[in-house]
Amino acid sequence: MGIAAALVSAAFSGTLAAQVVQGSSSIPPTQPGSVPSRRTLASDDPETQLMGYYAAVMQFTPVGLPSKSGSFEIGGAASFIPAISLSDRTAGFGGTKVENTNLCSVFPRITASKGFGRFGVEAGYTPPVSVCGVKATVVGLAIGRRMVLGATWDGYARLSAMSGTVDVSSTCSASAIADPLDETCYGGSISHDKIAPFSGTLEFDAAYQGWRAARLEPYLGAGIRYERVNFDVNYTRDSTQGAAVTLPPLDDHNRLRATLTRVHLVAGMAWDVVRHVRIAGELYYAPGALMTIRGRAAVAL
């Protein structure tokens, strides 16, 4: 469904807007038919920071460690996407243009996990279904290993990756091209943009075993992750369209990239409600990005 990825992409629209206002940007519109080289945004660029907020939402964390029983579990998970303030959404034009990013409040994925002794394998999948004007395919994979830390504590070392593609009209939507106050998009064609997020994460979790009689397993964890998001703009306002609204033509096919290396903290608990049903919740904190909650429900087959 790729909801969070759609919000990530909106952070880039300020770059395009800056190209329309004469003298406001050193990055010219691309020439028709040209394929520009990919440009890497600075880590402190307001657009990178806004994008990083939503990239953190898509991270593939466990939301309950794989069951020690070794059963195969299949279910679904969701991450809450908090709305962000007007000041935080003011990212375009070097931090002066407001971006429309508060689009949806949940990022969902289908999940599956299987234990193999002390090893666990997890997978997550957001299928290509159009939601909020977005069509995405996002995949997460993880492998981990349990270890005994003490009489009542287990450790879990986990390596995960997330990758996907998102097709979305984030630069100039249908409403934007009809808005005369939006000089970037007004009168042009709906944009067809592509986003390609990727992350790799190393995490360690400590799980308390003292409440197993109550079928509860709380855990704490910390991780470090590398994030890379490519964004390819595909927007055109040709000369005929521009003349109709007395604005200059614009052909924008810029290719952007943002990279970040950051840490995160998690605190969660899994509960085996009945023999074949498990639910879990997790508090996720990425300093410099966001704090959010996640939930998962699964059935053991």
Side-chain angles (χ1 to χ4, degrees), residues 43-75:
S43 61
D44 60 349
D45 189 294
E47 292 173 299
T48 298
Q49 296 303 309
L50 181 58
M51 179 185 63
Y53 175 90
Y54 290 107
V57 173
M58 291 188 287
Q59 294 308 307
F60 186 44
T61 55
V63 195
L65 304 183
S67 174
K68 295 178 69 174
S69 68
S71 60
F72 174 70
E73 297 181 347
I74 186 166

Side-chain angles (χ1 to χ4, degrees), residues 101-124:
T101 60
N102 290 331
L103 302 178
C104 296
S105 59
V106 174
F107 174 70
R109 57 168 41 107
I110 301 167
T111 62
S113 64
K114 177 72 170 73
F116 299 91
R118 290 200 170 272
F119 288 90
V121 177
E122 305 161 67

Side-chain angles (χ1 to χ4, degrees), residues 39-292:
R39 182 171 66 92
T40 300
L41 301 171
S43 61
D44 60 349
D45 189 294
E47 292 173 299
T48 298
Q49 296 303 309
L50 181 58
M51 179 185 63
Y53 175 90
Y54 290 107
V57 173
M58 291 188 287
Q59 294 308 307
F60 186 44
T61 55
V63 195
L65 304 183
S67 174
K68 295 178 69 174
S69 68
S71 60
F72 174 70
E73 297 181 347
I74 186 166
S79 297
F80 172 63
I81 307 173
I84 56 177
S85 67
L86 177 64
S87 61
D88 287 337
R89 291 187 289 119
T90 307
F93 282 90
T96 62
K97 180 181 181 296
V98 177
E99 308 295 349
N100 181 29
T101 60
N102 290 331
L103 302 178
C104 296
S105 59
V106 174
F107 174 70
R109 57 168 41 107
I110 301 167
T111 62
S113 64
K114 177 72 170 73
F116 299 91
R118 290 200 170 272
F119 288 90
V121 177
E122 305 161 67
Y125 179 54
T126 302
V129 177
S130 294
V131 175
C132 297
V134 180
K135 188 175 183 180
T137 302
V138 180
V139 176
L141 297 172
I143 185 170
R145 184 183 186 280
R146 279 187 183 261
M147 59 201 74
V148 177
L149 298 181
T152 56
W153 286 92
D154 278 359
Y156 193 73
R158 185 176 184 270
L159 180 65
S160 66
M162 179 275 296
S163 183
T165 59
V166 181
D167 295 313
V168 59
S169 299
S170 60
T171 301
C172 290
S173 64
S175 60
I177 66 172
D179 182 3
L181 298 179
D182 190 335
E183 294 188 356
T184 302
C185 302
Y186 184 48
S189 301
I190 296 174
S191 65
H192 299 281
D193 310 313
K194 183 178 290 292
I195 309 150
F198 169 81
S199 70
T201 304
L202 179 63
E203 180 177 323
F204 184 82
D205 302 292
Y208 181 62
Q209 303 301 299
W211 295 347
R212 295 301 299 177
R215 304 190 299 277
L216 296 171
E217 185 180 52
Y219 62 95
L220 301 170
I224 183 169
R225 69 189 186 280
Y226 167 79
E227 300 167 341
R228 184 194 70 213
V229 180
N230 292 337
F231 179 68
D232 295 350
V233 180
N234 184 14
Y235 168 70
T236 300
R237 181 170 62 213
D238 62 31
S239 57
T240 301
Q241 291 172 319
V245 295
T246 63
L247 287 171
L250 176 62
D251 191 277
D252 192 312
H253 294 83
N254 276 294
R255 303 168 71 231
L256 307 176
R257 171 174 290 171
T259 60
L260 291 164
T261 300
R262 298 184 291 184
V263 299
H264 68 259
L265 304 172
V266 296
M269 181 180 295
W271 177 31
D272 295 318
V273 182
V274 293
R275 183 179 177 185
H276 295 290
V277 177
R278 167 179 273 212
I279 61 174
E282 182 179 276
L283 177 68
Y284 175 87
Y285 174 51
L290 86 164
M291 178 180 290
T292 187

